[in-house]
Amino acid sequence: MSRPYNFSAGPAVLPETVLRQAAGELDDWHGSGVSVMEMSHRGRHFTSIAEQAEADFRGLLGVPDDYAVLFLQGGATSQFAMVPLNLMRRGRADYVNTGSWSKKAIAEAQRLGEVNVVATAEADGFTDIPAAETWQRDAEADYLHLTPNETIGGVEFHWVPEDHHGVPLVADMSSCILSRPVDVSRYGLIYAGAQKNIGPAGLTVVVVRRDLLGWTRESTPSMFDYAAHAKAGSMLNTPPTFAWYLSGLVFRWIWDQGGLDAMAARNRNKADKLYRAIDESAYYRNPVAVDCRSRMNVPFVLHDPGMDGRFLAEAEAAGLLNLKGHRSVGGMRASLYNAMPEQGVDALIDFMGDFERRRG
Amino acid sequence: MSRPYNFSAGPAVLPETVLRQAAGELDDWHGSGVSVMEMSHRGRHFTSIAEQAEADFRGLLGVPDDYAVLFLQGGATSQFAMVPLNLMRRGRADYVNTGSWSKKAIAEAQRLGEVNVVATAEADGFTDIPAAETWQRDAEADYLHLTPNETIGGVEFHWVPEDHHGVPLVADMSSCILSRPVDVSRYGLIYAGAQKNIGPAGLTVVVVRRDLLGWTRESTPSMFDYAAHAKAGSMLNTPPTFAWYLSGLVFRWIWDQGGLDAMAARNRNKADKLYRAIDESAYYRNPVAVDCRSRMNVPFVLHDPGMDGRFLAEAEAAGLLNLKGHRSVGGMRASLYNAMPEQGVDALIDFMGDFERRRG
């Protein structure tokens, strides 16, 4: 029996082959006699798993050698504090406000220093990204923070801000990492919760230029000190070993699919199809400006919001799961992460057309 | 084929039936069509998993209603900072130093306030617990912190300190939680990394009396604020869902075994057997005072440390894994957590006797 299509915004669909491999070796990893969950994180088996995962991740994104890759806990929410605690040496930073997740990052940073919101799209309901020429950037900022993909609003940067007096770029790529190639060298720090394109919830990956490390406030908890984690090879304490392992299987799967170029082409194709179906319909609508629509999260509303419940129930019966939009936006949201096959998008489009015709 | 016996100090052995159940439902939980790893943490499936796990945990430990149970990330190392950040209202706390983990907790707290070490066993190499009558306690301390079981030294409290002017007791139970019944009402806060008796690494369980919540430093990251987690039902952000689920399976398994009374009897029996074999031998030695020997972690040294490598290699060949002691102590360590069956201890004792005879 084929699996249903899971459009959850996160935790999200994982590649079926990865799940099958994990199930098959769950109680005995490669003849070791133990589960990955039962391995000492400092033993030879887990060390090999961890190193392979990091090497595969570095290869996929082309991470330069002068960047550390850290496998941490706490999700993006921890990063919202960890970034200012480690990078806000002068006590001020620039933030771009493009939606719910930007706002959370800003609120957390404001407790730790001076935040300059260089641009905000709040006035038009976060359906656009303010043009870079309008941003009020600070040449002395410790960093500029942006959210390249807003999971809730469905807004995505398809460009990277230009350098501004060497101010490091910090990006929350939780919901777009590994969905397309990235020029890591243009960023000072990239972070991402795992539970969209990487693996299970409970793991956070951080890519950071090593020259930015080495300073933090004296009162910073050790667990919030990037330098301590980098020095310890992400084993300052017991890491989330199973999530790390599972993510490694996902990295291998991406390689098997052809790497990030192949992912980008597939993701563009999936998103284009769905937006086209929405735009060509009189029944569905996506409010986001065309040039900053997300390829990962596609929110849409029905002509008649009174039909939302029926749409969701019929979709679920048709094997199309978790399409309910975030409560702050309403309507529907289809998340199209790497592991969502094109057939899932086709099935959704067919269902949407059918639902519309039956209501039309 | 039977599984080898895994004596790892953590991440550690899990119940075989739990691993088998998890493998069987890894790609389709209870007919939902999705893996637990793919579920939204706010959806009905995961909500039911999370609630059942909390209820089972509360039942096992008999957690009173005026205590919150939190499912967090970051391990005990995060708790070393989170405890003072949330409980050190007056800026000073008492700590008992009984070994490596106590020392780490003390070092982290010292960065955040005044630490009064009420007693230390460092002078005699952490092989004893100073008698309570000798402790220099502060009636005005914000709390008294202790480590009921020291994973590295193999030292365990078999008693609970008396109340002292209502100063709350805070306990790092990472390596002994669920190994025996605990009178939770005697503690203000209990925390434990999951990777010994609870489940996979990446989950930390905190039990905290609700009247202790509500204060923290202004600069505390949200993720380090107990009250914020309690208010959000441990879903302030995406929790480590798979680790939470797996832990729930372990809680069910403990119930099936007869609960904590049964666990305590089994654990006492396993430890007694092994200590007896060590004490009766002229070849092996455990340095810890008899009345504070750990039932979870049994360190022992060989008469001839030059034989350590051979002992470990032969043990591994005999299906007895991860017996190497911590580098700071040397020798061997057998961790006998809940999921280590009595047959594993019997096999270890047989092997030790055989090894001794062949060298004798």
Side-chain angles (χ1 to χ4, degrees), chain A:
Chain A
M1 200 188 74
S2 86
R3 304 185 87 215
Y5 295 111
N6 177 10
F7 294 93
S8 173
V13 57
L14 288 164
E16 204 175 334
T17 55
V18 164
L19 290 174
R20 245 185 271 127
Q21 181 176 347
E25 60 195 31
L26 197 78
D27 70 343
D28 183 4
W29 182 82
H30 295 199
S32 64
V34 300
S35 172
V36 171
M37 287 184 263
E38 300 175 302
M39 289 176 183
S40 167
H41 54 297
R42 302 197 192 276
R44 67 183 190 279
H45 294 310
F46 189 74
T47 302
S48 75
I49 289 170
E51 287 174 354
Q52 186 65 50
E54 181 178 334
D56 282 337
F57 178 85
R58 281 184 174 273
L60 284 170
L61 268 179
V63 178
D65 286 345
D66 58 329
Y67 285 69
V69 173
L70 308 176
F71 291 82
L72 307 180
Q73 300 185 53
T77 305
S78 283
Q79 295 305 309
F80 295 164
M82 204 163 166
V83 164
L85 283 171
N86 286 267
L87 301 188
M88 234 191 222
R89 296 185 189 217
R90 283 176 287 205
R92 48 201 254 226
D94 282 358
Y95 277 72
V96 188
N97 183 9
T98 52
S100 301
W101 291 103
S102 298
K103 284 177 76 170
K104 290 198 182 201
I106 289 167
E108 193 79 10
Q110 278 171 334
R111 303 168 66 185
L112 296 161
E114 197 185 316
V115 169
N116 170 37
V117 178
V118 303
T120 175
E122 191 151 20
D124 52 18
F126 295 122
T127 55
D128 209 345
I129 293 176
E133 307 83 67
T134 67
W135 296 9
Q136 304 290 318
R137 295 185 66 175
D138 174 0
E140 302 284 310
D142 285 317
Y143 58 86
L144 170 76
H145 181 281
L146 70 159
T147 311
N149 186 68
E150 287 280 358
T151 322
I152 293 175
V155 169
E156 185 170 2
F157 279 84
H158 296 294
W159 47 278
V160 181
E162 294 296 327
D163 178 61
H164 185 72
H165 301 278
V167 171
L169 275 186
V170 173
D172 174 2
M173 293 201 185
S174 293
S175 52
C176 60
I177 197 158
L178 301 181
S179 70
R180 52 184 165 138
V182 167
D183 181 355
V184 173
S185 72
R186 296 187 66 179
Y187 298 84
L189 189 150
I190 292 167
Y191 62 89
Q195 64 271 17
K196 285 95 157 68
N197 271 331
I198 292 178
L203 178 73
T204 314
V205 178
V206 174
V207 180
V208 57
R209 220 174 60 211
R210 291 186 194 274
D211 68 339
L212 295 174
L213 301 179
W215 176 88
T216 187
R217 295 168 192 225
E218 264 187 56
S219 63
T220 300
S222 306
M223 282 294 282
F224 270 38
D225 179 357
Y226 290 126
H229 286 289
K231 194 176 158 200
S234 300
M235 297 209 189
L236 182 66
N237 68 339
T238 312
T241 48
F242 186 76
W244 192 334
Y245 148 79
L246 208 290
S247 301
L249 298 186
V250 173
F251 302 153
R252 273 281 104 201
W253 175 83
I254 296 176
W255 276 116
D256 291 344
Q257 305 297 304
L260 296 194
D261 285 323
M263 280 294 133
R266 281 170 51 163
N267 288 327
R268 175 192 277 270
N269 184 39
K270 289 186 294 179
D272 282 354
K273 271 189 180 183
L274 182 53
Y275 283 117
R276 198 178 315 122
I278 291 168
D279 290 344
E280 287 174 3
S281 139
Y283 193 77
Y284 305 104
R285 198 173 64 81
N286 168 283
V288 180
V290 171
D291 63 354
C292 55
R293 282 173 165 181
S294 169
R295 292 187 186 135
M296 293 288 101
N297 311 98
V298 182
F300 59 93
V301 292
L302 275 55
H303 178 69
D304 175 6
M307 282 292 143
D308 283 4
R310 183 167 295 209
F311 182 94
L312 288 165
E314 291 187 13
E316 185 167 329
L320 306 167
L321 308 184
N322 299 314
L323 284 161
K324 190 172 185 186
H326 192 270
R327 60 189 181 280
S328 64
V329 176
M332 308 298 150
R333 172 174 49 172
S335 294
L336 312 180
Y337 300 121
N338 287 345
M340 172 57 63
E342 187 170 341
Q343 299 94 297
V345 180
D346 292 339
L348 173 60
I349 292 169
D350 286 349
F351 170 79
M352 288 167 67
D354 184 54
F355 188 88
E356 178 178 358
R357 273 188 298 279
R358 285 184 285 121
R359 299 293 168 301

Side-chain angles (χ1 to χ4, degrees), chain B residues 44-57 235 244:
Chain B
R44 67 183 190 278
H45 294 311
F46 188 74
T47 302
S48 75
I49 289 169
E51 287 175 354
Q52 186 65 49
E54 181 177 335
D56 282 337
F57 178 85
M235 297 208 189
W244 191 334

Side-chain angles (χ1 to χ4, degrees), chain B residues 222-239:
Chain B
S222 305
M223 282 294 282
F224 270 38
D225 180 355
Y226 290 126
H229 286 289
K231 195 177 158 198
S234 301
M235 297 208 189
L236 183 65
N237 69 339
T238 313

